[in-house]
Amino acid sequence: MNPLLSLAGQRAVVTGVAGFIGSHLAAALIRAGAAVIGIDRRSPHHDHAAATNLAALLDAPNFTYVTADLRTEPLDQHVRDVDVVYHLAAIPGVRPSWGTRFEDYTACNILATQRIMHAATQLRVPRVVVASSSSVYGSTDGSPSRESDPPRPSSPYGVTKLAAEQLCLAHAARGDSPTTAVALRYFSVYGPRQRPDMFIQRALTATLTGRPLLLFGHGHRRRDFTFVDDVVAATIAAGAARTPSTVLNVGAGVGASLRNVLDIIHQLVDRPTPVEVVSDHAGDVDATLADTTSAQHLLNWHPTVTLTEGITQQLRSLDPTVSILTTNNNTSLAPFTQPAI
Ligand code: NAD
């Protein structure tokens, strides 16, 4: 994030704040001077991942935590007098969305978004930023996806994310709407505290523990891996920018295969990741890659963290004592420390 950006006086709501990206976003907002109300249905007292994600936030000045389910919680009280709602709460993940949990996906990803937009427009919140996903594009030929490309999600999860972003835009497009909406299509976000089901976290855990990594599709799939700090910077910029309602890609703009990630890890720790190749999963597309021209232009935002730098940070957050070799001169790096709020 632009270190000079001051959000002093901004009142923000972050939904999904006990999650991976939401917790990083809330911390960055507070560091920039905003007051944040964080909402999530996970309680740090009963959920270990939520407790870890919220550890630096709960005692922070200007942070209020609300344990609530967005499917049912009366929302007016939380969005009254708020400048920006950052709506990140959702059930993520392509693979489980095929199964019996789909009802959960529709309720948490679509119904909850409808409730957020209803409350935000009723209470005249000027801006809603909603987390969408590269999964709305579905299968591509590997060339960069543009926002104007026809969305063809190839998983139930992708369908719910497309519905959520379009719901926000539909509310914002009403003639009498006081609220504008920016939907950000995030591409494969990684970094410290990444969800345990995601590839880089699984690969690093396998490397550190020696337990095999389940590698789907032989590892030739390509992803536009995007470091969480870059995603947070784009999200905050979307809250502050004076752009009308729109959809924007948020990606590093660089493709790498899962095998490339394993090579980087191997170089960093000088040991291979144990791997067990398993068959493909429905809905996993071959490649994702973002065209970020619009976000760079409208938000004055540029991704800054390379895949090697980002993986290094994530590795050190998992094991601060691990000996990491730099790719240039094989010297060890200093231990990781979490930025203070
Ligand atoms: P996460 O699972 O870590 O965080 C999501 C949070 O939303 C969780 O803490 C969960 O408890 C909360 N939540 C879900 N339903 C809720 C409800 N009904 N009421 C209250 N809270 C609820 O996921 P994440 O990886 O941090 O993803 C954040 C957002 O970004 C999601 O909208 C996801 O679809 C989107 N996204 C993520 C990625 C990625 O690579 N992580 C990529 C594209 C889009």
Side-chain angles (χ1 to χ4, degrees), residues 5-14 25 28-30 32-37 62 81-86 127 129 235-241:
L5 180 68
S6 168
L7 299 174
Q10 184 183 102
R11 284 172 50 83
V13 164
V14 176
L25 172 64
L29 286 166
I30 288 170
V36 174
I37 300 167
N62 286 332
D81 298 327
V82 158
D83 301 301
V84 188
V85 173
Y86 299 94
R127 178 73 110 195
V129 180
T235 307
I236 291 176

Side-chain angles (χ1 to χ4, degrees), residues 109-133:
N109 298 5
I110 306 176
L111 172 65
T113 301
Q114 161 73 14
R115 298 188 78 245
I116 287 278
M117 283 309 291
H118 181 74
T121 50
Q122 291 294 305
L123 288 157
R124 310 191 71 76
V125 174
R127 178 73 110 195
V128 172
V129 180
V130 59
S132 183
S133 165

